[in-house]
Amino acid sequence: MVVRVPGGGYGDHLRPHPTPTPVRVTVLAFALLSLLFALATAHRSLATTGSLGAVAFFAVMATACGLVALAARRRWAPYPAYALAGLLAAASLGLLGAITIVGLGLLAWVVLALNTRSARDWFGRPGRLR
């Protein structure tokens, strides 16, 4: 997706269409989650009492969050974000604490932010920009 630069100067040059704010915030949230899961992976692998299952879970979640954060310009990017946010929300329901609020809040944010008009246009075809 490219748009013409407004206001003369280099009017014949094209630049990428700017990323909508809801998409930027979602990408930032998943990048932060990826970092936190990577730190949890390192912590669990260095801990003497940590299980290998927890290390594998945190590593997979770090990779999945990184994939969502890096795939922001792809048309299929919202679907892994929905799936991953739903998985985190479902996994946090058994703990019933602050992590539940974070998991459900992330799911609510992803559903609302990626269904705004600007985000839908961003992930749609280039000819459909409004």
Side-chain angles (χ1 to χ4, degrees), residues 12-113:
D12 57 341
H13 290 224
L14 299 175
R15 65 181 167 102
H17 188 70
T19 308
T21 302
V23 176
R24 283 185 189 177
V25 171
T26 304
V27 166
L28 181 63
F30 277 103
L32 181 62
L33 279 173
S34 178
L35 177 67
L36 289 175
F37 278 121
L39 288 173
T41 302
H43 178 295
R44 277 307 198 184
S45 64
L46 294 176
T48 58
T49 59
S51 68
L52 198 55
V55 173
F57 171 76
F58 288 138
V60 167
M61 292 304 285
T63 304
C65 289
L67 171 73
V68 171
L70 292 175
R73 288 189 177 262
R74 306 284 186 239
R75 291 186 70 188
W76 49 265
Y79 303 114
Y82 294 143
L84 191 56
L87 177 67
L88 284 171
S92 68
L93 285 177
L95 301 176
L96 293 176
I99 192 69
T100 305
I101 295 169
V102 171
L104 293 175
L106 178 68
L107 179 62
W109 169 259
V110 167
V111 168
L112 292 175

